[in-house]
Amino acid sequence: MSESKTPVDFWFDPLCPWAWMTSRWMLEVEKVRPVEVSWHVMSLAVLNEDKIDDLPERYRELLGPKGWRPVRVVTAARELHGDEVVGKLYTALGTRIHNKEEGPTLEAIAGALADVGLPADLIEYADKDTYDSQVRASHKEGIDKVGQEVGTPVIAVPGADGEQIAFFGPVVTPAPKGEEAARLWDGTLLVASIPGFYEIKRTRTQGPIFD
């Protein structure tokens, strides 16, 4: 991490289209503000495992065994090839899952591994629990910083007192670029730094726009 850049921790589940939008904005922020992002997995399957039976059928299917596959493969890649591959693999996965509408299939995951030059045999971890404890630990780290009543993404930045400030979101579509991305970042940091501030929200009238 460069001493001149602010460290930003970003927790994501490759399944989530809204986290994907936020992550693309975060990459744009890296271009226009002195920040450097570290990428971490969290899991919508873990987040919802205690209430899976109450979810609509399409979410139960998404967050079942198949929902573990992307985070398992990302975590295996991290464990075996280092932190630096996480962001690259997430970009490859998200491009296939969301932009190309391939979904979180084994074929999409295998393609993403090939896209970033990672060994093809990492796909074998998609249906293995080898690194599930690491998935859960990473998930817990992010959720412990922000609280239980949120989803993905979670972003954490250093506060004025040195302690991390963590927040959910922002949820935005399409991903802002250039100065618009910078202004959203500045505003997000401002409200997140106010003691006692918790939430701004309005009804979504538009789905994710992938560009």
Side-chain angles (χ1 to χ4, degrees):
M1 183 68 65
S2 170
E3 292 182 1
S4 63
K5 293 186 177 182
T6 299
V8 178
D9 290 292
F10 190 110
W11 281 264
F12 66 91
D13 186 324
L15 295 177
C16 180
W18 293 103
W20 174 243
M21 299 299 301
T22 306
S23 72
R24 300 309 91 184
W25 162 71
M26 198 69 250
L27 289 181
E28 188 72 12
V29 172
E30 280 192 312
K31 300 176 184 177
V32 294
R33 289 291 184 267
V35 304
E36 192 167 356
V37 182
S38 295
W39 303 94
H40 313 273
V41 297
M42 61 184 296
S43 169
L44 290 172
V46 172
L47 187 68
N48 291 281
E49 63 185 348
D50 292 336
K51 51 190 174 186
I52 190 73
D53 293 338
D54 299 326
L55 297 176
E57 183 177 353
R58 65 189 183 99
Y59 287 115
R60 290 201 303 271
E61 182 178 357
L62 181 65
L63 301 180
K66 293 180 181 179
W68 278 86
R69 287 173 171 172
V71 292
R72 279 175 167 169
V73 173
V74 173
T75 301
R78 176 185 178 275
E79 292 295 317
L80 297 173
H81 299 279
D83 290 338
E84 64 275 8
V85 305
V86 175
K88 295 175 184 177
L89 182 54
Y90 179 33
T91 288
L93 282 167
T95 299
R96 286 181 173 272
I97 291 171
H98 303 297
N99 293 61
K100 295 183 179 180
E101 299 183 349
E102 296 179 18
T105 62
L106 287 174
E107 291 77 12
I109 298 170
L113 290 170
D115 291 341
V116 296
L118 284 168
D121 60 6
L122 284 170
I123 195 67
E124 297 175 7
Y125 291 95
D127 291 311
K128 293 181 179 180
D129 63 2
T130 308
Y131 297 114
D132 281 9
S133 60
Q134 286 88 337
V135 172
R136 289 181 179 276
S138 181
H139 176 90
K140 184 177 185 298
E141 182 183 11
I143 288 295
D144 282 352
K145 291 179 184 296
V146 74
Q148 295 294 323
E149 302 302 318
V150 300
T152 174
V154 170
I155 297 176
V157 298
D161 59 359
E163 294 293 323
Q164 278 193 318
I165 298 169
F167 51 88
F168 162 70
V171 176
V172 63
T173 188
K177 294 179 173 60
E179 183 56 28
E180 190 176 45
R183 288 191 289 109
L184 178 58
W185 177 250
D186 295 342
T188 300
L189 289 187
L190 175 62
V191 296
S193 69
I194 303 300
F197 174 83
Y198 294 104
E199 187 173 3
I200 290 177
K201 192 172 185 178
R202 63 175 177 167
T203 300
R204 300 176 197 170
T205 58
Q206 193 170 41
I209 299 173
F210 307 123
D211 57 5

